[in-house]
Amino acid sequence: MRALAASLLILAGGLLSASPVRAGDDCPPECADAASLQLLKRQGFVVEDATTRNALALGLLACLSSPDPLLRDGIAYEALTAWLRGDQLDAGMRRQLRDRLYAMLQDVDEAGFRRPFSALVLSEVARTDRIAQWMRPEERADMVEAGAQYLTSIRDYRGYDNVQGWRHGIAHGSDWLMQLAMNPALQRAQLDVILGAVAAQAVPQSAHAYIYGEPGRLARPVLHVARRGALTEVEWTAWFAALPGKIGDPSGAYADTAWLARRHDLLAFLTAIHFEAQQSQDAGLKSLELAAARAIKAVP
């Protein structure tokens, strides 16, 4: 434990002033190794010294693009989540993390891990503002736009790999928008931005057929918007009614693989929403039940 503490203190000296994390940065961070990080995990990611903890939080961002799921999921994501949920990173550090993660979303990501896991950690940053608001209104509005832009921009639909684990950009982007949708500080216009992004990926025009639970994850932001009671039943009916048309030209019905894939995705999405609305006693969710049912019936 003393060796780990000493190593982390050395690490702190170099990382707090580091430039934004870019592809190729070291993972594990300099002055740490996989063994010491695994020890830190076994000890619940407890780092008593705030300066050291902050430095390690920044250093671990590079591991979000690692092809090793033990480092990416098991260390970097779990450590950052533990510190964010444990209120161990102050508002200044959250802003640093957020801004570096925004930059990482813009990087080339051929391996396909960097952007999805940046979005997933951003969902945890968004959660902290939902629990106790610290963002200024303009920062929150910018995050809504960033989350929506990320989700709509996804063209890499890879999910699970037996060796390298999860990529899952659609699910992670949905989690980010879900945390934002739950934030009571959001305005109606921002909720509409979230709904627009979800609608764009509920039926991918690329005709990718979802097989890793994506429709259920896409449904979650919609369900939380509904719980707020921000839209009327008439508005929900209009929103759902626009979805069946995304399947494509009716002349391709049951005779085109792309048409069939889009139909599959839409029905899975609508069914997930309808099931939750049907089972719930929440008035906001109940407002979705009839609209979702009508949309299901409109699918050829």
Side-chain angles (χ1 to χ4, degrees):
M1 183 60 189
R2 290 179 181 176
L4 174 61
S7 178
L8 292 178
L9 284 170
I10 295 171
L11 176 68
L15 288 176
L16 282 176
S17 59
S19 59
V21 177
R22 294 293 177 190
D25 283 4
D26 291 337
C27 173
E30 187 179 356
C31 301
D33 57 28
S36 64
L37 292 174
Q38 287 293 340
L39 175 58
L40 182 64
K41 177 176 179 174
R42 290 196 296 273
Q43 295 169 342
F45 298 109
V46 174
V47 180
E48 297 292 350
D49 180 73
T51 300
T52 305
R53 185 170 58 248
N54 290 345
L56 189 55
L58 295 176
L60 286 175
L61 291 179
C63 292
L64 295 177
S65 58
S66 173
D68 182 352
L70 296 178
L71 285 172
R72 183 186 65 249
D73 300 47
I75 298 294
Y77 169 66
E78 288 189 17
L80 291 164
T81 298
W83 295 329
L84 287 164
R85 294 200 173 206
D87 198 23
Q88 295 182 312
L89 301 174
D90 64 20
M93 181 51 54
R94 293 172 198 167
R95 285 189 169 92
Q96 285 196 58
L97 285 175
R98 178 198 64 195
D99 292 347
R100 294 192 182 196
L101 289 163
Y102 281 170
M104 290 167 66
L105 288 177
Q106 306 307 315
D107 287 343
V108 174
D109 186 25
E110 291 183 4
F113 299 109
R114 188 181 195 85
R115 298 183 75 231
F117 277 87
S118 295
L120 189 60
V121 176
L122 280 163
S123 78
E124 293 295 329
V125 175
R127 180 184 180 277
T128 64
D129 185 64
R130 173 174 70 81
I131 300 300
Q133 293 174 14
W134 54 271
M135 289 192 209
R136 297 184 295 273
E138 60 271 22
E139 292 178 287
R140 198 172 294 113
D142 287 346
M143 179 169 273
V144 170
E145 292 293 338
Q149 195 281 330
Y150 168 71
L151 186 63
T152 57
S153 74
I154 293 171
R155 297 298 180 268
D156 183 348
Y157 293 99
R158 284 176 288 183
Y160 187 72
D161 179 89
N162 286 338
V163 175
Q164 296 181 323
W166 289 100
R167 288 168 171 88
H168 227 199
I170 291 293
H172 294 180
S174 299
D175 290 352
W176 186 6
L177 293 186
M178 178 188 72
Q179 290 293 343
L180 290 166
M182 295 170 70
N183 192 321
L186 259 63
Q187 304 300 311
R188 166 60 193 269
Q190 294 164 337
L191 299 177
D192 287 338
V193 170
I194 290 172
L195 291 175
V198 171
Q201 290 289 12
V203 189
Q205 288 307 298
S206 66
H208 170 81
Y210 291 133
I211 61 171
Y212 295 109
E214 294 92 341
R217 296 284 274 277
L218 281 162
R220 291 179 185 176
V222 179
L223 296 170
H224 284 289
V225 170
R227 286 189 175 97
R228 299 173 61 129
L231 278 70
T232 66
E233 190 168 327
V234 171
E235 289 172 319
W236 279 121
T237 297
W239 188 79
F240 280 105
L243 296 176
K246 293 177 175 289
I247 296 176
D249 187 344
S251 66
Y254 299 100
D256 177 72
T257 55
W259 187 95
L260 288 164
R262 288 192 285 266
R263 180 182 185 275
H264 163 272
D265 291 342
L266 178 57
L267 279 177
F269 174 71
L270 294 173
T271 300
I273 291 176
H274 184 261
F275 176 80
E276 291 294 333
Q278 191 175 50
Q279 299 299 310
S280 178
Q281 299 305 312
D282 181 272
L285 284 186
K286 279 296 181 186
S287 69
L288 300 183
E289 185 176 357
L290 183 57
R294 286 172 175 164
I296 290 172
K297 290 181 180 179
V299 175

